[in-house]
Amino acid sequence: MNITDKKHLLRAAWAGALVATIAASQAASPSTAANGKRPNIVIILGDDLGFSDLGSFGGEINTPNLDSLARAGVRCTQFYTHASCSPTRSMLLSGVDTHRNGLGNMDEWTAPNQVNQPGYEGYLNDRVTTLPQLLKNAGYHTYMAGKWHMGKAPNQIPAARGFERDFALLDGAGSYWDMLNFTATTPVSTFTEDGRYLKKLPKNYYATKTYTDKIIGYIEANRGDGKPFFAYVSHQAPHDPYHLPRDWRNRHVGAYDKGWDAVRQERLKRQVELGITPPGTELAERMWFVPDPNLLAPAPRALLGKKMELYAGMVENMDFHVGRLLDYLKAIGEYENTIFIVFGDNGAEGADLFKMIAGTPGTRDFLFAAIQWSQTHPNAWGDPHSYVGYGPMWAQVSMTPFSQYKGNMAEGGIRNALIVSGPIVKRPKGSINRGVLHVADIMPTLLEVAGARYPETLNGQELPPLIGKSWVEVLAGEKESPRSDQDYLAWEMFGNRAVRQGDWKLRWQYKPYGTEEWELFNLAEDVAERHELAAAHPEKVKALLTLWDDYVRANNVILPSRVLWEGMEKKLPDRYPVEAGFPPLIYKRQFIPPTNMLAEPKP
């Protein structure tokens, strides 16, 4: 027996043990729809999709299909993910805190003191079970297409973690057109299909289209056998690089030349009109190192606007392919019996990932980037071998009205838009819910829907507890939130940390984005986190720090010895408040004397 055969045998044995362990965990009477059938489940995940990007959350981007799900269901405005992608995905599929499920840090940023520590494996570890495995054993088909980012070894890929069919990009990002990856040591992205590693991609591959094709194909292949399905549509879009078919690139030409401040103001106005945010909501302060767009010359402002045009096209293209899936489900009579859960995996991406990856001239990765990502002319943006991201200015637009973006513990890093529709929702169509929800809630919610229980043990080992709370009563209109004011949520990522209880939030962030001190905010009054209250409420700081310490002990939180913020403070300008019209010197208009006082010089 060769090594490959042994690996497949071990994987099969592990999966068989998992089936045997949790077969008895299924509940006797699963939730059913009005027609007596258990509902199908579709999770649509946008990668780096911002809170305000969809039309139903105030965006100007054209998203009719996702907005149709919002009109048919409920929009949730206090839904929390994690600050980065793989940690969010790990909690979605395990229901367990990142520091216990293997993604205590992103694999790409594991600190030296976290290496070989339990909970920091960099992949979804074997001490947790998964939502698709439990649903599979409850009688569901389980399908996945898109980005995985939770392990690449044979026992870590989607087929080994409960997915019956899969077409998966195992890496965190990459080209939308081919298998090109980012660095010289990992030049080729890794894909699997139905548990096998792909040598090449299908003909006419484009990520967003192909993922949709695959999911529709999986559902169609088993249609009619009477079993419900769980489909995890884990889109790569709109994560950079912004790769886009040419006919999708020019739908917003010039629309963003007005600049990021104006677009943020327009989005906030629509959010208030839609009821997403209350009247009087402040916008978060523009990042201090982001220029006032009104001070830029027309050409650079238009060039930066073109990046946002591409991003908007990415979101619209994703929405179009979501529409294809919805149309297919309607055509086969399954739309009305399907629960849809739609959200983005973290805040919008404001960092320059390409610069971080390529490094400096003279390095190996800089040479790789210069050769492989060489299409830098704006007319080539969107083509294969081009790399475009839209930067912190537009990331703040995507996260309107919140502060900061992905990677940070400000609301702009961890709060996102959530849409839930389908037979589980009994609230008025198009309504808005303001309960405090968390991505880890999805596991207990869907287990309740499917009539499955979370097992106590796996392979003889006690499983860590689920940290989420079911939304079934909330979606039925019986409760506003699954949490009381005594419950709390906590986060740690890259050394940044936060805890929220009720309306109060305590956060600690590295410089330059934070102060490296605990900061206190009342989110009911200050969702933009403009007004820091630690000195005014020391008793609240103390109470929340007690909760933070409890979280650290319960989840084996190991603060990293190295962080990605190292040296960043020196690379950015000094931080001063951003106030409109200051300094007056550069905003003052030319003085125009009264015309009746104009005169020619005297001889």
Side-chain angles (χ1 to χ4, degrees):
M1 182 182 295
N2 61 35
I3 292 176
T4 300
D5 290 337
K6 286 181 179 178
K7 286 182 177 179
H8 286 299
L9 184 62
L10 286 171
R11 190 180 72 192
W14 185 89
L18 179 61
V19 171
T21 301
I22 62 180
S25 70
Q26 298 170 26
S29 54
S31 298
T32 57
N35 59 9
K37 294 171 58 180
R38 282 190 293 173
N40 308 308
I41 301 162
V42 173
I43 293 178
I44 299 171
L45 188 61
D47 197 350
D48 294 351
L49 183 69
F51 179 86
S52 70
D53 285 331
L54 305 184
S56 50
F57 279 81
E60 72 292 331
I61 300 174
N62 187 33
T63 55
N65 297 297
L66 291 168
D67 294 344
S68 73
L69 295 177
R71 288 193 300 272
V74 59
R75 286 165 291 169
C76 304
T77 63
Q78 294 204 78
F79 171 68
Y80 286 97
T81 60
H82 217 308
S84 194
C85 41
S86 53
T88 291
R89 293 156 197 269
S90 73
M91 289 194 292
L92 166 64
L93 293 188
S94 74
V96 172
D97 186 80
T98 57
H99 302 90
R100 304 190 70 175
N101 69 27
L103 274 300
N105 201 341
M106 291 183 69
D107 178 52
E108 296 87 346
W109 294 102
T110 305
N113 67 322
Q114 296 170 337
V115 175
N116 297 325
Q117 295 297 319
Y120 295 83
E121 292 85 353
Y123 58 85
L124 197 59
N125 65 35
D126 59 6
R127 293 187 298 281
V128 297
T129 187
T130 67
L131 176 61
Q133 186 66 67
L134 296 177
L135 291 178
K136 187 176 181 180
N137 284 279
Y140 272 70
H141 288 301
T142 55
Y143 311 132
M144 186 240 169
K147 171 177 159 178
W148 178 245
H149 203 193
M150 289 181 289
K152 296 182 180 181
N155 65 333
Q156 301 163 8
I157 60 178
R161 303 315 305 260
F163 284 104
E164 176 185 339
R165 303 289 308 275
D166 77 275
F167 183 92
L169 166 67
L170 301 186
D171 297 88
S175 172
Y176 286 68
W177 300 108
D178 49 40
M179 299 178 84
L180 179 61
N181 206 328
F182 293 149
T183 66
T185 53
T186 56
V188 179
S189 296
T190 307
F191 288 80
T192 60
E193 185 165 24
D194 295 342
R196 308 291 290 187
Y197 296 90
L198 291 181
K199 298 178 181 179
K200 60 181 181 179
L201 293 173
K203 291 182 179 179
N204 302 316
Y205 174 81
Y206 175 71
T208 314
K209 175 183 181 298
T210 301
Y211 298 155
T212 307
D213 292 343
K214 292 293 182 180
I215 282 291
I216 291 174
Y218 297 156
I219 298 169
E220 180 65 20
N222 290 315
R223 181 161 65 93
D225 67 3
K227 293 177 66 174
F229 62 81
F230 167 62
Y232 175 41
V233 192
S234 179
H235 280 294
Q236 197 173 335
H239 194 296
D240 54 340
Y242 300 157
H243 286 170
L244 198 59
R246 286 185 174 270
D247 58 338
W248 287 90
R249 296 181 197 173
N250 299 315
R251 302 185 178 210
H252 292 271
V253 174
Y256 297 106
D257 291 1
K258 66 185 75 171
W260 34 93
D261 285 358
V263 180
R264 272 213 302 165
Q265 291 284 357
E266 291 167 359
R267 287 195 180 189
L268 178 60
K269 182 175 183 293
R270 283 191 294 271
Q271 287 177 333
V272 172
E273 292 169 352
L274 290 169
I276 299 297
T277 55
T281 297
E282 288 185 281
L283 274 177
E285 181 180 345
R286 185 192 336 119
M287 303 295 279
W288 74 99
F289 53 86
V290 170
D292 181 341
N294 294 315
L295 300 181
L296 295 179
R301 192 164 69 184
L303 195 65
L304 291 170
K306 185 177 178 67
K307 294 185 175 185
M308 185 62 193
E309 293 172 24
L310 282 173
Y311 178 86
M314 294 282 289
V315 175
E316 291 186 352
N317 180 268
M318 183 180 74
D319 180 85
F320 169 78
H321 289 291
V322 168
R324 291 177 53 221
L325 175 59
L326 301 186
D327 289 344
Y328 165 76
L329 293 175
K330 290 174 182 177
I332 66 171
E334 292 291 345
Y335 174 83
E336 296 294 337
N337 193 43
T338 300
I339 297 167
F340 297 93
I341 300 175
V342 182
F343 61 99
D345 63 347
N346 43 243
E349 179 60 85
D352 188 339
L353 288 182
F354 186 66
K355 185 176 182 180
M356 293 169 66
I357 293 162
T360 56
T363 62
R364 174 195 62 198
D365 289 329
F366 191 89
L367 177 62
F368 179 86
I371 296 171
Q372 297 297 338
W373 298 96
S374 58
Q375 298 304 304
T376 58
H377 193 282
N379 290 342
W381 287 355
D383 286 348
H385 298 278
S386 67
Y387 197 111
V388 180
Y390 65 178
M393 60 287 293
W394 297 116
Q396 277 206 279
V397 170
S398 286
M399 296 315 297
T400 303
F402 306 130
S403 174
Q404 303 182 11
Y405 40 72
K406 179 180 176 180
N408 300 300
M409 290 300 160
E411 293 294 280
I414 56 177
R415 196 194 289 202
N416 221 307
L418 172 71
I419 296 170
V420 184
S421 72
I424 194 175
V425 180
K426 306 301 181 185
R427 288 175 170 271
K429 291 184 177 182
S431 61
I432 294 172
N433 173 260
R434 305 186 195 282
V436 177
L437 311 178
H438 190 271
V439 66
D441 300 341
I442 293 174
M443 177 91 148
T445 301
L446 295 183
L447 291 182
E448 184 174 347
V449 167
R453 293 195 187 98
Y454 183 70
E456 295 181 359
T457 61
L458 172 66
N459 295 333
Q461 292 186 333
E462 184 178 351
L463 284 169
L466 295 179
I467 62 171
K469 296 177 179 290
S470 173
W471 298 340
V472 169
E473 290 182 306
V474 173
L475 297 174
E478 298 168 7
K479 297 168 65 174
E480 284 305 300
S481 175
R483 292 177 170 79
S484 72
D485 286 342
Q486 298 306 306
D487 292 319
Y488 76 92
L489 297 172
W491 300 260
E492 185 276 327
M493 175 59 50
F494 309 137
N496 290 336
R497 58 211 84 148
V499 58
R500 174 175 178 173
Q501 184 184 48
D503 293 331
W504 291 95
K505 177 183 173 185
L506 193 67
R507 79 178 194 208
W508 190 104
Q509 296 192 134
Y510 279 100
K511 296 177 180 178
Y513 294 102
T515 62
E516 298 185 13
E517 301 284 347
W518 286 102
E519 300 173 279
L520 180 69
F521 302 94
N522 186 312
L523 297 179
E525 301 172 356
D526 178 27
V527 75
E529 296 171 292
R530 276 181 168 267
H531 309 287
E532 203 281 310
L533 302 172
H537 296 277
E539 75 292 343
K540 182 57 67 175
V541 173
K542 183 179 179 180
L544 292 175
L545 281 176
T546 298
L547 298 179
W548 167 255
D549 291 339
D550 177 69
Y551 172 74
V552 169
R553 285 190 299 269
N555 294 285
N556 187 37
V557 175
I558 301 172
L559 295 176
S561 58
R562 301 289 302 276
V563 295
L564 57 85
W565 321 107
E566 294 171 358
M568 190 176 292
E569 187 176 14
K570 294 180 180 179
K571 297 176 183 178
L572 293 175
D574 291 339
R575 185 170 185 172
Y576 297 103
V578 175
E579 298 186 62
F582 183 85
L585 170 69
I586 57 177
Y587 288 95
K588 281 185 177 293
R589 299 283 181 176
Q590 173 68 45
F591 174 72
I592 307 295
T595 55
N596 64 345
M597 296 184 68
L598 295 175
E600 296 292 338
K602 294 181 179 179

